[in-house]
């Protein structure tokens, strides 16, 4: 919908135009009037009409002066002159003021609507052109970063790129300058999840978008680079840098990226570290710079909190002798004992040994975390959790990046707690039936040779844990319960005087009569014969 402003000092003329215009057909929704040029200029500024009809002859300021001022400030408006004077000079001046048409008074309805229709047509065409240009800009803004990200990723990965595509990219991104060096910086955000949750309501896309935009803005004054999210490592940003051949590019970029990390922390709360690879005049050698930057970043000593922007690989005394795999047997016993504090104490001892070395890199933490996961999974198997058992803990997955020693320590403790709880919960949920089955088996086979190992092997449970579960459920250890069932059955048999004590002994699982008598007396306080005599006397007295 369009707006029309009529500027004329004669009210009848303004009224005639209002009545003659086919406004609804022309999609004109609003019409305003100004009685003189100065008011017309003010309304043009404030109301912003699309079409302005201007009288030439007006007091104080004539229409030509208004048109000169108006067209200079608002060239997009369509201007139509209305005048009672058919003079060529006015028409010539009107052309210079970008006037669309020149109408003579009295206003002819047909001519007025023809001029208005042409104004609307031009406005509509210009609107379509603007929308098309805006769509093209939007597509360019969306597609160009994706194109750059895809192509740079391919170069870094060493994929072969069709030469014309590479040349098009260089042309579009102006990578044709002389004396320019190209390199990669890897920025690892340490608290991405925390910032994403608190600042971006958990929207990781928006968080990455803000992060890469901020890095690009910080790098723009000194490097016409481009940053994008890495899909190899979580919370990692790859920044492709362009540097002049003047100062040492590594030293200069390290200083600038240090400032950039400070800005990221100040504005968004991001805490990050960075590694910077070498620079080369060949754009196609970015892959070498990327992998050097990765190695430098991975070598950062996470036992220290010093410089977090590095240009060279760090080195130190390795803690290889303190492999986490050396703790496997201790951890196995700790899980069997069901004591999580004992388990944590074992790992704290391991952490203390690492800290004594003074050097533990991000790569060391990654490898140790991967070994730890494998060890934990192996421990669950040794605990007797069958491969097809529904209570087997799920895999903890691949080891994440650990940019600080506290983060690595926290990861280990979280896995211990998770797996410990899953094992305990899983066994309790699934073994209630098994424990009853063990009890039922004892009740039915108490006279046979029963030992803990047979149940441990049958139900894939450690002896210690199985015995503890049985006692928690029934109040007796397994051996205690076997003895109880045998003694209770022996009492029943001794109540019948026709059954010899030696037969009673064999019926309740004792091959040695003397051993049975000793066990019975220890359990009841009476020998089998004393128990029988006492029972018979009790029956006679009744």
């Amino acid at each position: 919908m369009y707006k029309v402003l009529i500027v004329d000092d004669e009210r009848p003329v303004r009224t005639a135009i209002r009545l003659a215009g086919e406004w609804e057909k022309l999609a004109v929704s609003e019409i305003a009037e100004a009685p003189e040029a100065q008011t017309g200029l003010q309304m043009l500024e404030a109301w912003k009409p699309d079409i302005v009809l201007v009288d030439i002859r007006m007091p104080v300021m004539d229409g030509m002066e208004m048109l000169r001022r108006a067209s200079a400030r608002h060239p997009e408006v369509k201007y139509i002159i209305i005048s009672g004077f058919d003079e060529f000079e006015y028409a010539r001046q009107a052309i210079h003021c970008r006037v669309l048409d020149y109408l003579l008074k009295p206003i002819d309805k047909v001519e007025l609507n023809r001029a208005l229709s042409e104004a609307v047509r031009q406005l509509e065409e210009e609107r379509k052109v603007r929308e098309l240009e805006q769509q093209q800009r939007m597509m360019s803004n969306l597609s160009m970063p994706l194109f750059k990200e895809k192509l740079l990723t391919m170069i870094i990965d060493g994929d072969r790129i069709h030469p014309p595509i590479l040349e098009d990219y260089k042309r579009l991104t102006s990578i044709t300058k002389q004396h320019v060096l190209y390199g990669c910086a890897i920025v690892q955000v340490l608290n991405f999840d925390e910032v994403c949750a608190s600042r971006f309501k958990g929207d990781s896309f928006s968080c990455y978008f803000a992060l890469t935009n901020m890095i690009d803005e910080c790098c723009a004054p000194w490097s016409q680079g481009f940053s994008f999210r890495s899909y190899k490592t979580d919370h990692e940003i790859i920044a492709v840098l362009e540097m002049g051949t003047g100062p040492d590019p590594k030293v200069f970029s390290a200083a600038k990226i240090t400032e950039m990390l400070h800005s990221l922390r100040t504005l968004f709360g991001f805490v990050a570290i960075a590694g910077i690879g070498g620079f080369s005049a060949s754009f196609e050698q970015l892959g070498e710079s990327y992998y050097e930057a990765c190695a430098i970043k991975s070598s950062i000593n996470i036992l220290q909190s010093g410089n977090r922007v590095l240009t060279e690989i760090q080195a130190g005394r390795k803690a290889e002798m303190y492999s986490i795999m050396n703790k496997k047997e201790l951890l196995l016993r700790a899980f069997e004992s069901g004591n999580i504090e004992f388990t944590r104490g074992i790992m704290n001892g391991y952490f203390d040994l690492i800290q004594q070395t003074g050097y533990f890199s991000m790569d060391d933490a990654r490898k140790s975390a991967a070994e730890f996961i494998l060890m934990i999974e192996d421990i669950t198997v040794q605990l007797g959790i069958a491969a097809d058992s529904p209570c087997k803990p799920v895999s903890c997955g691949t080891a994440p990046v650990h940019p600080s020693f506290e983060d690595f320590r926290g990861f280990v403790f979280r896995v211990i707690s998770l797996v410990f709880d899953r094992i305990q919960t899983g066994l309790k949920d699934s073994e209630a039936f098994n424990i009853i089955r063990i009890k039922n088996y004892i009740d039915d086979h108490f006279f046979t040779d029963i030992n803990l190992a047979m149940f441990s092997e049958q139900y894939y449970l450690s002896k210690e844990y199985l015995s503890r579960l049985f006692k928690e459920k029934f109040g007796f250890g397994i051996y205690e319960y076997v003895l109880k069932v045998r003694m209770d059955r022996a009492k029943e048999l001794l109540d019948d005087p026709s059954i010899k004590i030696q037969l009673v002994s064999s019926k309740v699982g004792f091959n040695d009569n003397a051993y049975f008598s000793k066990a019975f007396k220890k359990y009841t306080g009476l020998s089998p014969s004393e128990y029988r005599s006492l029972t018979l006397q009790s029956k006679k007295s009744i």
Side-chain angles (χ1 to χ4, degrees):
M1 302 298 283
Y2 299 103
K3 297 191 293 185
V4 172
L5 174 63
I6 305 170
V7 184
D8 195 303
D9 60 331
E10 299 180 53
R11 181 187 293 274
V13 174
R14 301 198 302 269
T15 302
I17 292 173
R18 272 185 175 271
L19 294 173
E22 298 175 346
W23 307 116
E24 185 175 351
K25 180 180 178 181
L26 295 168
V28 173
S29 59
E30 298 179 65
I31 305 171
E33 300 177 14
E36 41 85 20
Q38 189 63 46
T39 302
L41 286 174
Q42 293 172 356
M43 292 185 69
L44 184 61
E45 289 289 339
W47 195 54
K48 301 190 184 311
D50 302 290
I51 302 171
V52 176
L53 294 95
V54 184
D55 184 21
I56 291 296
R57 294 288 187 177
M58 289 186 291
V60 183
M61 180 189 297
D62 65 17
M64 293 310 303
E65 178 61 23
M66 177 188 168
L67 282 171
R68 281 191 289 270
R69 297 186 185 184
S71 62
R73 288 184 57 83
H74 301 282
E76 74 283 358
V77 175
K78 304 303 173 185
Y79 300 97
I80 300 173
I81 287 179
I82 50 178
S83 176
F85 300 90
D86 185 9
E87 297 181 3
F88 174 75
E89 179 60 24
Y90 284 120
R92 187 181 66 80
Q93 293 183 43
I95 291 172
H96 289 291
C97 294
R98 300 188 182 91
V99 170
L100 177 67
D101 211 335
Y102 189 102
L103 303 178
L104 292 176
K105 296 179 181 179
I107 299 300
D108 180 77
K109 180 177 181 180
V110 174
E111 289 298 313
L112 171 66
N113 286 294
R114 180 192 59 75
L116 289 171
S117 295
E118 177 60 19
V120 169
R121 186 192 68 78
Q122 291 186 14
L123 287 169
E124 185 66 18
E125 284 188 356
E126 291 170 4
R127 181 187 64 79
K128 291 179 179 179
V129 169
R130 286 195 303 271
E131 289 179 352
L132 180 60
E133 290 175 348
Q134 184 178 16
Q135 289 177 357
Q136 290 174 339
R137 284 195 299 270
M138 288 176 61
M139 291 302 297
S140 177
N141 290 338
L142 289 172
S143 62
M144 190 59 188
L146 293 175
F147 175 63
K148 290 172 69 174
E149 179 179 331
K150 177 65 175 176
L151 187 132
L152 289 170
T153 300
M154 292 174 69
I155 291 175
I156 287 171
D157 288 343
D159 297 337
R160 187 179 182 277
I161 301 171
H162 194 48
I165 296 177
L166 186 58
E167 291 305 315
D168 286 345
Y169 175 79
K170 289 181 177 181
R171 177 177 53 80
L172 289 170
T173 55
S174 301
I175 303 181
T176 56
K177 295 173 284 187
Q178 300 295 319
H179 310 297
V180 174
L181 301 177
Y182 304 98
C184 277
I186 307 298
V187 179
Q188 182 76 54
V189 180
L190 311 186
N191 62 339
F192 181 90
D193 290 334
E194 176 187 336
V195 174
C196 183
S198 61
R199 296 288 188 95
F200 297 91
K201 298 181 179 179
D203 185 349
S204 61
F205 178 84
S206 297
C207 190
Y208 275 116
F209 184 79
L211 182 59
T212 52
N213 271 4
M214 184 66 185
I215 291 174
D216 287 342
E217 288 180 12
C218 290
C219 291
W222 56 275
S223 168
Q224 297 301 314
F226 175 71
S227 65
F228 56 97
R229 174 185 178 182
S230 168
Y231 289 95
K232 294 183 177 181
T233 305
D234 289 340
H235 313 153
E236 180 182 271
I237 303 298
I238 302 172
V240 176
L241 306 174
E242 296 180 22
M243 298 288 296
T245 55
D248 184 327
K250 271 196 171 185
V251 174
F252 182 79
S253 59
K256 292 297 183 180
I257 289 177
T258 299
E259 295 175 2
M260 179 190 76
L261 297 190
H262 177 73
S263 298
L264 288 176
R265 186 163 193 165
T266 301
L267 294 176
F268 289 104
F270 288 117
V271 179
I273 58 177
I276 303 172
F279 285 78
S280 169
S282 173
F283 182 71
E284 289 82 352
Q285 293 182 359
L286 279 173
E288 296 178 12
S289 177
Y290 168 78
Y291 287 107
E292 181 184 350
C294 285
I296 291 171
K297 184 203 71 173
S298 296
S299 74
I300 290 178
N301 186 3
I302 64 175
L303 295 178
Q304 298 177 354
S305 57
N307 186 12
R308 308 301 268 175
V309 178
L310 299 180
T311 58
E312 302 294 338
I313 293 177
Q314 286 187 300
R317 184 162 64 91
K318 294 287 185 180
E320 294 173 354
M321 66 185 73
Y322 305 129
S323 170
I324 201 167
M325 297 298 288
N326 294 336
K327 304 296 180 182
K328 181 178 176 180
E329 293 303 319
L330 279 174
L331 285 175
L332 177 59
R333 291 200 295 271
F335 277 115
E336 286 180 335
S337 72
N339 189 338
I340 194 170
E341 293 305 321
F342 178 35
T343 310
R344 290 172 177 162
I346 293 170
M347 295 313 303
N348 276 325
Y350 166 72
F351 296 140
D352 290 343
L353 291 174
I354 289 177
Q355 289 179 305
Q356 290 173 14
T357 68
Y359 179 79
F360 194 66
S361 69
M362 289 177 62
D363 194 50
D364 292 333
R366 180 186 60 80
K367 292 177 180 177
S368 294
E371 288 181 349
F372 178 68
I373 290 173
L374 292 174
M375 181 178 66
I376 288 294
E377 291 180 341
D378 190 45
I379 284 175
T380 61
V381 173
Q382 293 190 51
L383 283 171
I385 308 300
D388 58 349
S389 170
C391 59
K392 179 182 178 182
V394 295
S395 170
C396 298
T398 56
V401 173
H402 300 289
S404 71
F405 190 67
E406 286 306 312
D407 183 82
F408 172 65
R409 185 200 299 264
F411 164 77
V412 170
F413 284 149
R414 284 194 301 274
V415 171
I416 286 175
S417 297
L418 171 65
V419 177
F420 192 94
D421 291 344
R422 292 290 295 274
I423 289 175
Q424 305 304 308
T425 302
L427 290 175
K428 287 179 180 179
D429 289 343
S430 64
E431 286 159 13
F433 173 72
N434 290 340
I435 292 299
I436 294 173
R437 288 181 61 185
I438 290 172
K439 177 181 179 297
N440 291 340
Y441 181 88
I442 293 171
D443 290 341
D444 295 337
H445 302 84
F446 62 89
F447 48 86
T448 64
D449 184 21
I450 295 176
N451 60 72
L452 199 55
M454 61 186 290
F455 298 122
S456 178
E457 293 173 3
Q458 181 178 357
Y459 297 110
Y460 303 99
L461 301 172
S462 67
K463 296 176 184 179
E464 295 81 359
Y465 194 71
L466 180 60
S467 181
R468 182 160 59 85
L469 286 177
F470 192 93
K471 189 165 186 176
E472 288 177 358
K473 181 69 175 177
F474 301 110
F476 299 93
I478 289 178
Y479 288 125
E480 290 179 284
Y481 186 71
V482 170
L483 181 62
K484 177 182 182 301
V485 173
R486 287 178 172 179
M487 294 298 106
D488 288 346
R489 181 56 178 158
K491 290 177 183 179
E492 293 176 6
L493 295 173
L494 289 170
D495 285 344
D496 185 351
S498 64
I499 302 175
K500 294 181 179 181
I501 292 178
Q502 185 176 358
L503 182 59
V504 171
S505 173
S506 63
K507 281 183 174 291
V508 295
F510 289 88
N511 297 324
D512 187 333
N513 186 50
Y515 182 68
F516 164 67
S517 298
K518 184 178 180 181
F520 189 88
K521 185 169 185 177
K522 184 177 180 180
Y523 187 82
T524 63
L526 300 171
S527 67
S529 58
E530 290 173 341
Y531 179 83
R532 172 171 280 178
S533 297
L534 185 62
T535 302
L536 290 174
Q537 289 177 8
S538 297
K539 288 182 178 180
K540 288 179 180 179
S541 63
I542 294 174

